[in-house]
């Protein structure tokens, strides 16, 4: 006959094992953001350029072997009449880059070792005859593969833009 004391002990062991499994499933760098983004200036004028810096950090315990990232304008940005801008260049740790009119696409250099980071820049030019008094904001879709391609992750991240001010 089992005693209540033994049942409690068995329950404690099971709970400890479950908590241990959750701890093992946590990425090595759980507090580190996967993507950080900055802009070189909070405001710009028609005729100027703005550079976005996007840093991808591998938060997993295995190397990342594929990174795809797109930059798209937010819906409010697409609704501003007369706002004219276009991505013109990219740089940094990229293997491929497409700078479409109002969006950008980069394939970051891989592999990215566990805990390591890679940084790319995207520059957009605001047309000299662009409307002012409006914001240009973006979002980024990020997709990457790790564990030799057996696992992947993706997400949508806000990208700070800037206020286009009249000069």
């Amino acid at each position: 006959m089992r005693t209540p004391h033994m049942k409690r002990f068995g329950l404690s062991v099971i709970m400890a094992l479950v908590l241990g499994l959750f701890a093992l499933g946590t990425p090595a760098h759980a507090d580190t953001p996967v993507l950080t983004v900055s802009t070189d200036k909070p405001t710009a004028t028609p005729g100027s350029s703005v550079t976005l810096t996007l840093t991808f950090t591998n938060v997993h315990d295995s190397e990342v072997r594929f990174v795809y990232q797109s930059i798209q304008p937010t819906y409010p940005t697409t609704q501003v009449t007369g706002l004219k801008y276009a991505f013109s260049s990219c740089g940094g740790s990229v293997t491929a880059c497409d700078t479409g009119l109002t969006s950008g696409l980069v394939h970051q250099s891989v592999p990215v070792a566990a805990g390591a980071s890679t940084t790319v820049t995207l520059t957009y030019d605001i047309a000299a005859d662009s409307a002012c008094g409006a914001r240009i904001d973006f979002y980024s879709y990020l997709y990457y593969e790790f564990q030799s391609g057996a696992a992947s992750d993706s997400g949508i991240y806000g990208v700070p833009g800037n206020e286009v001010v009249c000069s």
Side-chain angles (χ1 to χ4, degrees):
M1 178 173 170
R2 294 181 71 174
T3 65
H5 179 68
M6 290 299 284
K7 286 182 183 178
R8 277 190 231 125
F9 177 72
L11 183 59
S12 297
V13 169
I14 290 171
M15 291 296 288
L17 286 172
V18 168
L19 289 174
L21 290 174
F22 279 122
L24 289 174
T26 303
H29 311 282
D31 294 337
T32 304
V34 172
L35 182 66
T36 56
V37 184
S38 63
T39 182
D40 67 339
K41 58 183 97 170
T43 62
T45 56
S48 65
S49 296
V50 177
T51 300
L52 302 172
T53 302
L54 304 106
T55 301
F56 168 78
T57 301
N58 179 359
V59 297
H60 299 283
D61 291 328
S62 63
E63 69 181 19
V64 168
R65 295 202 177 178
F66 179 77
V67 181
Y68 166 91
Q69 187 169 12
S70 69
I71 304 295
Q72 303 290 326
T74 61
Y75 180 75
T77 297
T78 65
Q79 298 304 299
V80 178
T81 304
L83 187 59
K84 299 177 188 174
Y85 67 94
F87 280 95
S88 58
S89 66
C90 62
S93 186
V94 297
T95 57
C97 180
D98 179 15
T99 51
L101 292 178
T102 60
S103 61
L105 167 72
V106 294
H107 288 274
Q108 297 191 9
S109 298
V110 289
V112 181
S117 297
T118 180
T119 300
V120 299
T121 58
L122 282 165
T123 300
Y124 61 95
D125 303 321
I126 302 168
D129 63 341
S130 176
C132 54
R135 285 196 60 81
I136 299 176
D137 286 308
F138 303 97
Y139 68 92
S140 175
Y141 171 71
L142 176 67
Y143 172 85
Y144 61 97
E145 297 175 354
F146 54 101
Q147 292 180 352
S148 299
S152 66
D153 202 354
S154 64
I156 295 177
Y157 300 86
V159 175
N162 62 359
E163 183 77 24
V164 179
V165 297
C166 302
S167 47

